[in-house]
Amino acid sequence: MSNPADTSNLRAEGPARPSSYLRPQPPPGAGAGAQQKGAQQPVIREPVDIVDREQQEALRAIRQFLKVRTSYDVLPVSFRLIILDTSLLVNKSLGILVQNAIVSAPLWDSKRSKFAGLLTSTDYINVIQYYWQFPEAMKEIDKFRLDSLRDVEKAIGANPPETVSIHPMKPLYEACRRMLKSRARRIPLVDLDDETKQEMVVSVLTQYRILRFVAVNVKETGMLRKPLSDIGVGTYEGLSTASMDTPVIDVIHTLVRKHISSVPIVDANGIVLNVYEAVDILTLIKNGTYEELGLTVGKALLKRPADFPGVHTCSEHDRLDTIFDAIRRGRVHRLIVVDGENRLKGMVTLSDILQYLLLEGEGDEEEEE
């Protein structure tokens, strides 16, 4: 997996480089001695049944932790929450997201004094698809409001997102299950005022924040030592890719068609160069204009914010314990699986990891109980 990479390297058309700290390191002082003697040190492997047993123990510990902690526990001591009214113009809402460096915001229906869902990059992609299918409507774009987004979904045949939410004092495990069921990458925390009985949006919980909370507080994550290739976490077949010369609008169509949030960027030999994410689209249309969607991916990536966390890579032989270590150190939203030559092999998302943590061997645990 790569460290949060230097942005100058990411913007160039060079390969994304896996970091060294995911690779097993020799004990201190062992390397020099072995080289001097010319002898190859034997690799000591624990019996497979021990690794399997520890893997299951770690999964049980993580699930138990999620069941006794609440969603509220994950929230930092101090945080900022931006809520947008559904009467707001779409263009203005986009400006607010970009200006505040956020990619989503809860929606509030002031007419009904009610939580109205979550605004994400998917909504803006739907608007782009709408104007792509109905170019004559482009002249009305300045008048388009957030409460019209559902009409856009109906017009282009997109499935409306579920307005899933959860009470902040519910178990974290329940929040994770709801996210998996709805295929959502984040879930709003909605409370109810005791006096007015009116809904109150407390915060928004993301998969990254949940997994980092686990990484920091559950020491058993260090026991997840089975390689990705053995546990089947990630997608390795039917991956969509693009090149630096692919128009951004073509990538958008791929995101919509495959219901995915990112596309690896590769060269003619399948070498991973970068990744184009759904949130990158917000930067291109932040001024309310859609002409730059015809740019190539390579040129569009030059407009990416300077605080982009980097392209994280790993191999099929890497393990969840090291991935959790990376999540503990910095922002990780997905991992591009590559071989020794940096050729694309697959992709691991946070949804894949969360699903494994919650569902792997779940039936066996219930039988044991």
Side-chain angles (χ1 to χ4, degrees):
M1 181 186 308
S2 68
N3 289 310
D6 184 286
T7 53
S8 61
N9 292 334
L10 285 170
R11 293 180 181 185
E13 295 188 15
R17 300 182 181 278
S19 72
S20 60
Y21 72 78
L22 270 184
R23 307 292 181 257
Q25 300 294 321
Q35 290 178 358
Q36 292 176 358
K37 296 178 182 179
Q40 184 175 358
Q41 298 296 318
V43 178
I44 302 176
R45 299 183 183 275
E46 292 192 59
V48 175
D49 58 341
I50 294 179
V51 175
D52 286 339
R53 185 171 66 249
E54 290 188 348
Q55 189 91 0
Q56 292 305 314
E57 289 177 5
L59 291 175
R60 282 193 292 268
I62 292 171
R63 290 168 191 169
Q64 184 59 31
F65 175 79
L66 293 173
K67 290 176 181 178
V68 299
R69 303 304 291 267
T70 69
S71 298
Y72 189 81
D73 294 333
V74 184
L75 302 182
V77 175
S78 176
F79 61 91
R80 176 186 58 178
L81 178 64
I82 295 176
I83 302 176
L84 303 180
D85 194 281
T86 54
S87 63
L88 190 67
L89 292 171
V90 170
N91 284 348
K92 287 189 176 181
S93 71
L94 178 59
I96 292 172
L97 295 188
V98 174
Q99 183 178 0
N100 289 278
I102 56 177
V103 297
S104 67
L107 295 177
W108 183 261
D109 186 340
S110 56
K111 294 179 181 178
R112 299 187 299 161
S113 296
K114 190 175 181 63
F115 168 67
L118 192 66
L119 180 70
T120 69
S121 58
T122 300
D123 293 300
Y124 295 103
I125 289 176
N126 286 340
V127 172
I128 292 171
Q129 291 283 103
Y130 176 77
Y131 287 116
W132 186 263
Q133 294 182 27
F134 307 100
E136 68 279 1
M138 183 66 75
K139 60 180 180 293
E140 303 292 330
I141 192 168
D142 291 335
K143 304 175 183 178
F144 209 68
R145 299 185 183 275
L146 293 177
D147 55 13
S148 302
L149 290 176
R150 304 291 87 85
D151 296 329
V152 168
E153 292 158 1
K154 292 178 182 177
I156 65 175
N159 295 324
E162 295 186 38
T163 53
V164 60
S165 64
I166 193 169
H167 191 280
M169 299 309 293
K170 288 287 187 179
L172 192 52
Y173 182 85
E174 184 176 335
C176 294
R177 292 302 294 256
R178 289 194 188 184
M179 293 172 75
L180 290 179
K181 183 178 180 181
S182 63
R183 297 172 61 88
R185 291 183 290 276
R186 49 183 62 83
I187 184 170
L189 305 182
V190 181
D191 201 350
L192 200 65
D193 187 274
D194 293 334
E195 295 182 3
T196 65
K197 304 302 180 184
Q198 180 176 306
E199 289 182 332
M200 301 182 302
V201 182
V202 176
S203 186
V204 177
L205 206 56
T206 64
Q207 291 179 339
Y208 167 72
R209 186 173 285 181
I210 292 172
L211 291 176
R212 188 174 188 279
F213 186 64
V214 170
V216 170
N217 292 285
V218 184
K219 67 180 185 300
E220 285 84 357
T221 54
M223 297 165 62
L224 295 169
R225 295 183 292 132
K226 296 185 71 173
L228 295 175
S229 57
D230 286 2
I231 60 179
V233 172
T235 301
Y236 302 89
E237 301 290 339
L239 286 172
S240 295
T241 62
S243 72
M244 286 291 186
D245 296 323
T246 302
V248 170
I249 190 64
D250 289 351
V251 176
I252 292 175
H253 294 327
T254 299
L255 295 175
V256 173
R257 186 176 66 256
K258 300 293 289 288
H259 302 287
I260 54 179
S261 61
S262 64
V263 173
I265 309 303
V266 299
D267 66 9
N269 297 315
I271 304 296
V272 176
L273 304 176
N274 217 305
V275 60
Y276 197 82
E277 306 175 358
V279 295
D280 288 321
I281 297 166
L282 303 185
T283 304
L284 289 185
I285 63 174
K286 65 181 180 181
N287 295 321
T289 58
Y290 293 77
E291 289 79 7
E292 292 191 334
L293 295 175
L295 290 177
T296 63
V297 167
K299 291 182 178 180
L301 288 175
L302 295 176
K303 299 177 179 292
R304 182 176 267 166
D307 63 348
F308 177 68
V311 177
H312 295 267
T313 65
C314 67
S315 79
E316 294 178 280
H317 307 295
D318 287 319
R319 311 172 314 204
L320 285 182
D321 62 339
T322 49
I323 291 175
F324 267 111
D325 185 47
I327 291 174
R328 188 184 302 111
R329 297 181 185 207
R331 284 192 295 162
V332 178
H333 297 293
R334 65 186 56 80
L335 299 104
I336 308 298
V337 184
V338 297
D339 62 13
E341 303 296 327
N342 278 346
R343 283 188 293 265
L344 178 67
K345 302 294 291 184
M347 182 180 290
V348 177
T349 67
L350 298 189
S351 295
D352 295 328
I353 297 174
L354 195 60
Q355 180 170 317
Y356 175 79
L357 295 180
L358 266 65
L359 304 183
E360 174 65 21
E362 183 185 38
D364 297 336
E365 285 188 16
E366 291 177 354
E367 289 179 6
E368 291 177 4
E369 294 176 358

